[in-house]
């Protein structure tokens, strides 16, 4: 089955002012104008979603968000619901990123304070809530360096996949996107070898096949994330199980991000 590539830019806590967000979004729109056959998503901070929405309106760029809570309303200070994101014009939402799980490629000293508590169970709640709100989840999975060196990569990845989609119907699962991001490659400049990245993305698809069957497994898109850049994008994106990229640092430079978009077949 032919799958449409999907390139998503995760701006993280960057470009958070209206001026900076508007400028980058406009540069991206201009840089990929005329490119077809690929889904392009930008995920800015919450505070500038409306600003970016106005810039990308009518273009081929789709708006995404970086997280969503699993409740629609209530006494949940600081949380953002799927309904709020949908109203803001969001289509895709990143869920279960390693940083919200407290699993960092490059830890900073203060990150020993455990202020991130995402688990497979909370990711599952968020996935189901996002689907109910009409959003399309980009579900992040990936192993730490210790887990890879301990030979646990396949187990960790398959467990995170299965945990994230417990209770999701086959019909809903068809529209899911998974992003394999080896934690040790996020923000480190290291990148997983293309052959190995493809193998692990194949583990993601194999896990989905075991849960839903071939049709769903063939339809689900699997991205690679973790230091994808213009100089390695083509090789990674040429792999049969890699359907796109979840881009961090390179998404903050419109030329780099556009080069990755243009590297899709």
């Amino acid at each position: 089955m032919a799958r449409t590539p999907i390139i998503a830019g995760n701006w993280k806590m960057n470009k958070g002012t209206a001026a900076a967000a508007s400028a980058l979004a406009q540069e991206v729109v201009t840089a990929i104008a005329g490119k077809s056959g690929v889904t392009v998503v930008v995920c800015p901070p919450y505070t500038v979603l409306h600003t970016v929405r106005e810039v990308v309106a009518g273009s081929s760029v789709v708006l995404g968000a970086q997280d969503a809570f699993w409740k629609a309303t209530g006494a949940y200070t600081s949380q953002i619901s799927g309904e709020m994101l949908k109203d803001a014009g969001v289509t895709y939402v990143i869920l279960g990123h390693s940083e919200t799980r407290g699993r960092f490629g490059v830890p900073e000293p203060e990150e020993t304070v455990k202020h991130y508590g995402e688990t497979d169970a909370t990711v599952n709640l968020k996935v189901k809530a996002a689907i109910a709100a009409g959003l399309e989840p980009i579900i992040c999975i990936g192993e730490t360096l210790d887990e890879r060196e301990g030979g646990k990569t396949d187990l960790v990845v398959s467990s995170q996949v299965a945990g994230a989609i417990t209770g999701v119907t086959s019909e809903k699962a068809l529209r899911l996107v998974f992003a394999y991001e080896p934690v040790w490659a996020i923000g480190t400049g290291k990148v997983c070898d293309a052959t190995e990245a493809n193998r692990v993305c194949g583990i993601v698809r194999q896990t989905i096949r075991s849960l839903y069957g071939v049709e769903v497994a063939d339809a689900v898109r699997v991205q690679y994330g973790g230091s994808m850049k213009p100089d390695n994008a083509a090789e990674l994106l040429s792999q049969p199980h890699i359907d796109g990229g979840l881009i961090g640092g390179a998404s903050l430079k419109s030329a780099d991000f556009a080069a990755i978009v243009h590297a899709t077949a």
Side-chain angles (χ1 to χ4, degrees):
M1 177 183 293
R3 294 181 293 270
T4 301
I6 176 169
I7 305 295
N10 177 13
W11 295 4
K12 305 189 180 184
M13 201 174 73
N14 298 293
K15 306 297 182 181
T17 65
S22 179
L24 178 56
Q26 185 59 64
E27 289 173 5
V28 170
V29 168
T30 301
I32 68 163
K35 174 66 176 174
S36 60
V38 56
T39 302
V40 180
V41 187
V42 291
C43 302
Y46 293 131
T47 54
V48 290
L49 283 172
H50 284 88
T51 297
V52 175
R53 174 186 184 176
E54 292 178 1
V55 174
V56 303
S59 76
S60 58
V61 178
V62 181
L63 188 62
Q66 297 178 22
D67 196 9
F69 195 52
W70 60 81
K71 293 285 189 177
T73 61
Y76 304 102
T77 301
S78 83
Q79 299 303 314
I80 303 292
S81 73
E83 286 77 2
M84 294 175 187
L85 296 178
K86 189 70 176 177
D87 185 64
V90 168
T91 300
Y92 289 89
V93 59
I94 298 169
L95 300 173
H97 194 280
S98 67
E99 290 161 0
T100 68
R101 295 178 189 253
R103 294 155 63 87
F104 292 88
V106 187
E108 296 177 1
E110 62 270 25
E111 284 157 9
T112 57
V113 179
K114 299 299 182 183
H115 54 290
Y116 297 94
E118 196 84 274
T119 65
D120 289 345
T122 62
V123 174
N124 180 238
L125 289 170
K126 290 180 176 185
V127 167
K128 290 185 286 190
I131 292 171
L135 299 172
E136 301 193 27
I138 297 174
I139 305 169
C140 299
I141 69 273
E143 82 284 8
T144 64
L145 183 60
D146 285 346
E147 289 165 343
R148 170 163 283 273
E149 291 179 342
K152 298 178 180 178
T153 294
D154 294 9
L155 176 61
V156 169
V157 168
S158 60
S159 295
Q160 288 178 343
V161 171
I165 56 179
T166 299
V168 175
T169 66
S170 295
E171 180 183 5
K172 300 298 184 184
L174 282 166
R175 299 188 64 80
L176 296 175
V177 177
F178 283 88
Y180 167 56
E181 293 196 303
V183 178
W184 48 270
I186 299 173
T188 64
K190 298 179 181 178
V191 63
C192 189
D193 173 82
T195 302
E196 174 63 6
N198 180 68
R199 187 192 72 80
V200 181
C201 288
I203 295 295
V204 174
R205 207 174 302 284
Q206 179 181 315
T207 304
I208 296 167
R209 185 182 299 114
S210 70
L211 295 170
Y212 295 107
V214 174
E215 180 182 356
V216 175
D218 285 349
V220 167
R221 291 181 290 180
V222 184
Q223 299 173 308
Y224 171 78
S227 299
M228 183 184 283
K229 300 175 183 178
D231 60 357
N232 61 34
E235 183 181 12
L236 287 162
L237 293 169
S238 69
Q239 302 299 314
H241 288 300
I242 298 178
D243 306 310
L246 181 57
I247 315 302
S251 71
L252 301 177
K253 298 178 180 179
S254 58
D256 287 355
F257 187 63
I260 295 170
V261 171
H262 287 291
T264 58

